[in-house]
């Protein structure tokens, strides 16, 4: 018999949860199965998941094929109706040992084909503790799950449920174990990270968690936070940016657009000037700060002038690492009922945004030549700076260690030391 095969789609949190599922499947003794962990962020993501399922069925004709993840949660019938699929389990069910025990005990006879409950009824705190997911140098810690906001384009709250936080003490204890295992960098992850703490006693904020980690885990060399909503950043997080060198100077911002009318139609909580003000203030507090951002091209009703505001935001906020999403309608969301932009126009606008992002990357790389950086080695010849910039070495370094290096040159998308 063979161990289960896992195929992951989508975000870092999904990848984290695959590691949890591997442990649960192993503990249950599940064998000869293929598990596809889906993403629902765009219609294209769902299409790719269906395509992957068909390919996996061809390469594993005798395996039992299980579909889970956000797309399985939001549209279970889509996958249950596929001939290639044997079972569909929701985002809550995939984290339960009992689910995997049932699948292992009697896959067809006693297990329901579709196990997807109401995600909105889930109130327990997020997080399966995975001590060591990531590379040998960097570990990821899930501190939050779900989202209480209802952006008009987004289906994710219906896949993840409402926001739930992992208590600070649990997070700190896990990070201590990771440091004891030799990890030199920890990344805090979540669906809506800056909402962390709202459901906990005394309603702490993300900045409180960051300060607590840095104070109680003094041996942790580097702490990084993943995607945040800049309008929700609290005073303590700004203080950490200003005063804590162990907090890495790299923030990925959920901006989505640069035009006020589009932002309102998206039901975002910030305006263009809010984004610019945050980036200006963060860089004033930490001059070496770099920003990534999510930006959607071709949101419904987006005019040429509105798109130009989005494009200009790349330089106005001095964004470096762009994630550009051509708008993709998700059935069931308010945006899907708004007047659509022509598909060819969307594609062209996305290309212009990506080109602007590539120009920003080249500018950033060029500015690093001659500078000294502390580089966390992901393998013998590649590591990342504090700003998450990729650095290639001509001579082997110690994997997992932080090395000080002077940047000699810049290639198209990485630095050379």
């Amino acid at each position: 018999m063979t161990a289960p095969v896992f195929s992951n789609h989508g975000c870092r949190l999904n990848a984290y949860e695959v590691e949890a599922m591997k442990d649960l499947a192993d503990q249950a003794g599940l064998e000869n199965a293929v598990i596809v962990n889906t993403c629902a962020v765009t219609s294209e993501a769902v299409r790719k998941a269906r395509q992957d399922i068909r390919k996996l069925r061809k390469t594993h004709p005798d395996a039992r094929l299980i579909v889970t993840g956000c797309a399985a949660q939001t549209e279970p019938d889509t996958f249950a109706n596929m001939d290639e699929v044997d079972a569909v389990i929701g985002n809550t069910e995939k984290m339960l040992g009992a689910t995997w025990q049932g699948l292992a005990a009697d896959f067809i006879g006693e297990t329901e084909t579709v196990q997807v409950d109401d995600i909105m009824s889930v109130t327990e705190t997020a997080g399966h503790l995975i001590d060591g997911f990531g590379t040998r140098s960097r570990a990821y810690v899930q501190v939050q799950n779900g989202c209480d906001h209802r952006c008009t384009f987004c289906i994710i709250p219906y896949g993840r449920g409402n926001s739930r936080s992992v208590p600070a003490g649990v997070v700190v204890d896990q990070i201590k174990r990771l440091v004891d295992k030799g990890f030199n960098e920890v990344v805090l992850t979540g669906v809506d990270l800056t909402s962390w703490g709202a459901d906990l006693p005394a309603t702490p904020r993300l900045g409180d968690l960051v300060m607590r980690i840095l104070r109680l885990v003094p041996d942790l060399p580097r702490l990084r936070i993943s995607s945040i909503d800049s309008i929700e950043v609290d005073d303590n997080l700004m203080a950490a940016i200003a005063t804590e060198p162990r907090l890495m100077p790299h923030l990925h911002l959920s901006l989505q657009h640069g035009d006020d009318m589009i932002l309102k139609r998206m039901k975002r909580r910030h305006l263009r000037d809010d984004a610019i003000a945050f980036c200006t203030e963060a860089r004033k507090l930490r001059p070496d700060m770099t920003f990534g951002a999510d930006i959607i091209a071709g949101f419904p009703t987006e005019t040429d002038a509105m798109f130009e505001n989005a494009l200009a935001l790349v330089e106005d906020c001095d964004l470096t690492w762009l994630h550009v999403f051509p708008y993709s309608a998700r059935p069931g969301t308010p945006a899907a009922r708004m007047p659509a932009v022509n598909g060819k126009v969307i594609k062209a606008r996305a290309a212009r945004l990506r080109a602007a992002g590539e120009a920003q990357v080249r500018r950033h790389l060029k500015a690093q030549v001659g500078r000294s950086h502390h580089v966390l080695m992901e393998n013998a010849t590649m590591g990342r700076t504090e700003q998450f910039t990729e650095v290639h070495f001509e001579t082997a370094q110690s994997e997992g260690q932080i090395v000080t290096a002077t940047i000699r040159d810049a290639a198209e998308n990485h630095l050379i030391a």
Side-chain angles (χ1 to χ4, degrees):
M1 301 297 285
T2 58
V5 174
F6 285 82
S7 176
N8 184 61
H9 295 249
C11 65
R12 181 64 65 177
L13 186 56
N14 254 18
Y16 181 101
E17 289 172 345
V18 162
E19 299 303 310
M21 286 189 281
K22 287 179 180 178
D23 284 350
L24 292 169
D26 182 62
Q27 292 166 17
L30 179 66
E31 296 178 317
N32 197 29
V34 174
I35 298 93
V36 181
N37 196 30
T38 62
C39 172
V41 70
T42 63
S43 297
E44 177 66 9
V46 177
R47 187 193 69 79
K48 287 182 177 179
R50 288 168 57 85
Q51 184 182 55
D52 190 33
I53 288 165
R54 295 187 184 101
K55 288 181 179 178
L56 286 166
R57 170 53 72 206
K58 289 179 181 178
T59 55
H60 300 82
D62 300 323
R64 299 169 291 182
L65 202 148
I66 305 161
V67 180
T68 186
C70 289
Q73 180 70 45
T74 58
E75 43 187 291
D77 290 346
T78 294
F79 298 98
N81 291 333
M82 293 181 69
D83 292 338
E84 296 86 355
V85 175
D86 294 305
V88 180
I89 59 176
N91 267 337
T92 300
E93 290 75 16
K94 75 181 184 183
M95 292 289 105
L96 301 177
T99 301
W100 297 94
Q101 290 162 14
L103 292 170
D106 189 343
F107 186 84
I108 299 299
E110 298 178 6
T111 304
E112 295 181 26
T113 303
V114 178
Q115 300 181 60
V116 180
D117 286 341
D118 178 14
I119 195 76
M120 294 302 176
S121 66
V122 179
T123 58
E124 77 274 9
T125 53
H128 234 75
L129 300 183
I130 307 298
D131 288 351
F133 162 58
T135 65
R136 287 174 58 186
S137 54
R138 180 181 298 107
Y140 295 82
V141 175
Q142 181 187 359
V143 303
Q144 185 273 340
N145 202 345
C147 184
D148 291 337
H149 308 300
R150 297 296 180 265
C151 297
T152 59
F153 57 86
C154 188
I155 200 75
I156 296 305
Y158 305 98
R160 288 287 178 179
N162 293 316
S163 181
R164 292 98 70 197
S165 308
V166 179
V170 176
V171 175
V172 168
D173 287 345
Q174 185 181 9
I175 293 175
K176 285 180 178 178
R177 292 197 301 275
L178 291 168
V179 171
D180 288 343
K181 288 186 174 185
F183 288 94
N184 281 320
E185 182 175 299
V186 165
V187 185
L188 304 182
T189 68
V191 173
D192 182 25
L193 197 57
T194 32
S195 71
W196 179 89
D199 57 323
L200 296 177
T203 59
R205 303 292 299 277
L206 180 62
D208 301 322
L209 177 64
V210 167
M211 287 292 206
R212 185 168 180 176
I213 292 168
L214 292 170
R215 183 178 72 253
L216 296 180
V217 195
D219 294 335
L220 172 66
R222 292 163 61 139
L223 179 66
R224 196 180 294 277
I225 54 180
S226 58
S227 182
I228 63 170
D229 201 336
S230 59
I231 199 69
E232 288 190 326
V233 170
D234 60 280
D235 290 344
N236 258 352
L237 186 52
M238 295 304 286
I241 290 170
T243 64
E244 293 287 355
R246 290 186 293 146
L247 178 63
M248 293 297 94
H250 166 238
L251 296 172
H252 189 84
L253 309 177
S254 179
L255 296 181
Q256 309 305 344
H257 212 273
D259 181 82
D260 284 350
M261 181 56 70
I262 293 293
L263 288 167
K264 289 177 181 178
R265 289 172 180 165
M266 287 179 165
K267 209 173 178 180
R268 301 294 294 166
R269 284 153 293 134
H270 71 275
L271 297 176
R272 174 190 182 82
D273 286 349
D274 296 322
I276 296 171
F278 171 80
C279 292
T280 301
E281 178 65 16
R283 191 170 277 112
K284 178 181 176 183
L285 297 173
R286 191 78 176 267
D288 58 345
M289 180 67 73
T290 60
F291 300 108
D294 297 328
I295 300 182
I296 295 174
F299 185 82
T301 76
E302 182 188 71
T303 64
D304 288 343
M306 291 170 175
F307 170 72
E308 292 298 333
N309 281 334
L311 187 63
L313 193 71
V314 176
E315 289 197 15
D316 291 342
C317 285
D318 197 10
L319 306 174
T320 300
W321 316 112
L322 290 193
H323 288 179
V324 176
F325 296 89
Y327 174 74
S328 173
R330 299 298 287 116
T333 61
R337 300 190 295 272
M338 298 179 186
V341 176
N342 178 275
K344 290 183 179 179
V345 173
I346 293 175
K347 186 176 181 180
R349 288 175 180 173
R352 288 184 65 194
L353 276 169
R354 291 192 182 103
E358 290 164 3
Q360 289 288 95
V361 170
R362 289 193 295 271
R363 183 182 304 174
H364 169 73
L365 295 176
K366 185 177 179 180
Q368 307 313 308
V369 176
R371 294 185 180 182
S372 177
H373 279 285
H374 301 298
V375 181
L376 178 64
M377 299 305 301
E378 295 186 6
N379 57 51
T381 57
M382 191 278 282
R384 292 188 187 271
T385 69
E386 303 92 326
Q387 293 86 2
F388 212 63
T389 310
E390 191 172 309
V391 183
H392 290 196
F393 288 74
E394 294 179 343
T395 56
Q397 309 294 319
S398 298
E399 183 177 348
Q401 298 305 303
I402 298 172
V403 301
T404 301
T406 299
I407 304 305
R408 181 175 60 78
D409 200 357
E412 183 177 352
N413 56 8
H414 63 267
L415 299 171
I416 299 170

